[in-house]
Amino acid sequence: MTSRFARLAAGAAVSVALMTTAAPAMAMEPPEPRGAPTERATPAPGDTVDLTSVALGALSGIALSGAGVGIAYGVQRRRDRSTAHPA
Protein backbone atom coordinates (compact mmCIF):
# COMPACT_ATOMS: atom_id res chain seq x y z
CA MET A 1 0.00 0.00 0.00
CA THR A 2 2.81 2.39 0.86
CA SER A 3 4.54 1.80 -2.45
CA ARG A 4 1.36 2.76 -4.30
CA PHE A 5 1.20 6.04 -2.46
CA ALA A 6 4.89 6.63 -3.11
CA ARG A 7 4.40 6.02 -6.83
CA LEU A 8 1.33 8.26 -6.86
CA ALA A 9 3.19 11.02 -5.03
CA ALA A 10 6.16 10.72 -7.39
CA GLY A 11 3.88 10.87 -10.43
CA ALA A 12 2.09 13.91 -9.04
CA ALA A 13 5.40 15.64 -8.35
CA VAL A 14 6.62 14.99 -11.89
CA SER A 15 3.32 16.24 -13.31
CA VAL A 16 3.46 19.43 -11.28
CA ALA A 17 7.09 20.00 -12.26
CA LEU A 18 6.25 19.58 -15.94
CA MET A 19 3.28 21.92 -15.70
CA THR A 20 5.24 24.66 -13.94
CA THR A 21 8.02 24.57 -16.53
CA ALA A 22 5.63 24.33 -19.46
CA ALA A 23 3.21 27.03 -18.35
CA PRO A 24 3.66 30.12 -20.51
CA ALA A 25 4.08 33.51 -18.94
CA MET A 26 0.73 35.09 -18.23
CA ALA A 27 1.77 38.55 -19.43
CA MET A 28 3.81 38.40 -22.58
CA GLU A 29 3.30 42.10 -23.26
CA PRO A 30 3.41 44.89 -20.70
CA PRO A 31 -0.01 46.33 -19.83
CA GLU A 32 -1.07 49.33 -21.86
CA PRO A 33 -1.66 52.59 -20.05
CA ARG A 34 -5.25 53.77 -19.74
CA GLY A 35 -6.50 55.71 -22.70
CA ALA A 36 -3.99 54.15 -25.06
CA PRO A 37 -5.25 52.81 -28.38
CA THR A 38 -6.31 49.18 -28.19
CA GLU A 39 -5.02 48.13 -31.60
CA ARG A 40 -3.12 44.86 -31.54
CA ALA A 41 -0.05 44.49 -33.68
CA THR A 42 -0.18 41.59 -36.09
CA PRO A 43 2.62 39.09 -35.56
CA ALA A 44 5.52 39.19 -37.97
CA PRO A 45 5.73 36.31 -40.46
CA GLY A 46 8.75 34.89 -38.60
CA ASP A 47 6.93 34.72 -35.23
CA THR A 48 5.77 31.18 -34.54
CA VAL A 49 4.66 29.11 -31.62
CA ASP A 50 7.46 28.05 -29.30
CA LEU A 51 7.81 24.33 -29.96
CA THR A 52 9.42 23.69 -26.59
CA SER A 53 6.32 24.94 -24.79
CA VAL A 54 4.10 22.86 -27.03
CA ALA A 55 6.14 19.72 -26.40
CA LEU A 56 6.26 20.25 -22.64
CA GLY A 57 2.53 20.95 -22.57
CA ALA A 58 1.82 17.75 -24.47
CA LEU A 59 4.06 15.75 -22.16
CA SER A 60 2.42 17.17 -19.05
CA GLY A 61 -1.00 16.36 -20.51
CA ILE A 62 0.11 12.79 -21.15
CA ALA A 63 1.52 12.56 -17.62
CA LEU A 64 -1.70 13.88 -16.10
CA SER A 65 -3.87 11.51 -18.11
CA GLY A 66 -1.60 8.60 -17.16
CA ALA A 67 -1.90 9.54 -13.51
CA GLY A 68 -5.68 9.73 -13.84
CA VAL A 69 -5.88 6.34 -15.51
CA GLY A 70 -3.61 4.86 -12.82
CA ILE A 71 -5.75 6.26 -10.04
CA ALA A 72 -8.95 5.03 -11.69
CA TYR A 73 -7.42 1.58 -12.16
CA GLY A 74 -6.30 1.46 -8.52
CA VAL A 75 -9.73 2.51 -7.26
CA GLN A 76 -11.49 -0.05 -9.44
CA ARG A 77 -9.11 -2.80 -8.36
CA ARG A 78 -9.66 -1.92 -4.72
CA ARG A 79 -13.44 -2.01 -5.20
CA ASP A 80 -13.25 -5.40 -6.87
CA ARG A 81 -11.26 -6.83 -3.97
CA SER A 82 -13.52 -5.41 -1.28
CA THR A 83 -16.81 -6.76 -2.65
CA ALA A 84 -18.12 -10.03 -1.31
CA HIS A 85 -17.77 -12.83 -3.83
CA PRO A 86 -20.37 -15.62 -3.72
CA ALA A 87 -18.82 -18.98 -3.04
Side-chain angles (χ1 to χ4, degrees), residues 76-87:
Q76 186 63 38
R77 189 172 173 193
R78 183 173 217 146
R79 284 183 184 171
D80 289 343
R81 286 185 178 179
S82 66
T83 58
H85 296 288

Side-chain angles (χ1 to χ4, degrees), residues 9 22 24 36 42 45 56 72:
T42 58
L56 287 174

Side-chain angles (χ1 to χ4, degrees), residues 6-79:
R7 283 185 283 176
L8 181 63
V14 168
S15 297
V16 168
L18 283 174
M19 286 189 299
T20 55
T21 58
M26 294 301 292
M28 295 296 290
E29 300 175 5
E32 297 178 1
R34 292 185 184 246
T38 57
E39 293 181 23
R40 308 287 282 173
T42 58
D47 290 345
T48 58
V49 176
D50 183 23
L51 295 179
T52 306
S53 294
V54 172
L56 287 174
L59 287 176
S60 63
I62 291 169
L64 279 176
S65 62
V69 168
I71 291 169
Y73 177 72
V75 168
Q76 186 63 38
R77 189 172 173 193
R78 183 173 217 146
R79 284 183 184 171

